[in-house]
């Protein structure tokens, strides 16, 4: 897979870093789509729908370039409730307070579109977060780190110390499951 180039329908620096681990370079072209959750939508279906929609949106604009388009979407689910990116510090603290001491799931869907065809795979990881004192959560929120992350935390940052155990993909929790990504890109 070395020295391959794709279009990445995201501005996430974490996704760029993870693709580099696979030897893939990318042109960054974030997709601008409506990311609203549909009433009653299951978290796993939600991320799959968004990943495909992002790939399709970029394909409509840049499909003529002939490069595979990779898109991904990640959400944290507490039960059937979707915890996306927090709108502000108060929402981040509320999310983190609810996740503290929880067993929750992180769903990441990755979609690849090439030559007008889209394929999508889902990675679901169960995450066990230890109980975190409120003062520690407040300090974390004040750092600004949780503001662009689903569920208001990043496992690759300071919050990684709170994760007692995961069952699934570490890179999936970061926002791009490498195993599923490699499977999709190897299919082209």
């Amino acid at each position: 897979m070395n020295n391959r180039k794709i279009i990445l329908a995201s501005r996430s620096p974490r996704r760029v870093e993870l693709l580099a681990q696979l030897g893939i370079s990318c042109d960054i072209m974030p997709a601008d789509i409506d990311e609203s959750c549909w009433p009653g939508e299951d978290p796993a279906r939600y991320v799959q729908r968004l990943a495909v929609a992002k790939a399709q949106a970029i394909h409509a604009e840049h499909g003529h370039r002939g490069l595979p388009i990779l898109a991904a979407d990640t959400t944290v689910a507490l039960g059937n409730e979707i915890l996306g990116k927090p709108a502000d510090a108060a929402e981040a603290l509320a999310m983190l307070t609810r996740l503290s001491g929880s067993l929750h799931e992180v769903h990441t869907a990755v979609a690849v579109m090439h030559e007008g065809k889209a394929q999508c795979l889902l990675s679901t990881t169960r995450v066990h977060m230890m109980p975190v004192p409120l003062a520690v959560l407040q300090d974390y929120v004040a750092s600004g780190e949780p503001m662009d992350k689903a569920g208001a935390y990043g496992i690759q940052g300071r919050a990684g110390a709170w994760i007692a155990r995961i069952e699934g993909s570490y890179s999936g929790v970061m926002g791009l499951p490498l195993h599923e990504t490699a499977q999709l890109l190897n299919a082209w």
Side-chain angles (χ1 to χ4, degrees):
M1 214 182 307
N2 284 337
N3 301 319
R4 291 192 56 192
K5 187 164 192 164
I6 64 166
I7 294 172
L8 176 62
S10 171
R11 67 175 49 92
S12 167
R14 292 169 298 281
R15 290 185 177 132
V16 173
E17 291 171 12
L18 289 166
L19 285 168
Q21 286 182 355
L22 296 177
I24 297 170
S25 64
C26 55
D27 289 340
I28 298 169
M29 298 181 187
D32 184 22
I33 64 165
D34 178 4
E35 295 191 22
S36 301
C37 182
W38 294 345
E41 190 170 26
D42 172 82
R45 298 289 303 149
Y46 167 74
V47 294
Q48 291 174 75
R49 176 177 61 82
L50 290 186
V52 170
K54 289 175 184 180
Q56 289 171 334
I58 297 303
H59 182 265
E61 294 179 47
H62 303 283
H64 64 279
R65 294 187 53 196
L67 294 173
I69 299 164
L70 185 141
D73 197 77
T74 300
T75 198
V76 172
L78 193 54
N80 219 23
E81 183 180 355
I82 293 171
L83 302 178
K85 295 176 184 175
D88 56 29
E91 187 176 17
L93 184 59
M95 284 183 191
L96 289 166
T97 300
R98 293 186 61 215
L99 290 172
S100 174
S102 78
L103 167 62
H104 58 275
E105 292 181 329
V106 177
H107 301 284
T108 299
V110 59
V112 172
M113 187 157 197
H114 191 55
E115 298 175 352
K117 298 176 193 155
Q119 291 185 347
C120 184
L121 292 175
L122 176 70
S123 168
T124 297
T125 300
R126 294 170 49 98
V127 179
H128 301 258
M129 184 182 284
M130 65 177 242
V132 183
L134 180 59
V136 174
L137 295 176
Q138 290 169 327
D139 182 55
Y140 180 65
V141 171
S143 76
E145 187 176 313
M147 299 314 298
D148 68 339
K149 296 169 181 66
Y153 78 91
I155 194 168
Q156 71 282 3
R158 290 172 48 186
W162 310 334
I163 306 305
R165 172 172 93 252
I166 67 169
E167 299 165 27
S169 170
Y170 180 84
S171 61
V173 177
M174 284 181 63
L176 188 68
L178 290 179
H179 176 75
E180 289 80 358
T181 300
Q183 283 185 303
L184 288 172
L185 291 173
N186 283 334
W188 301 112

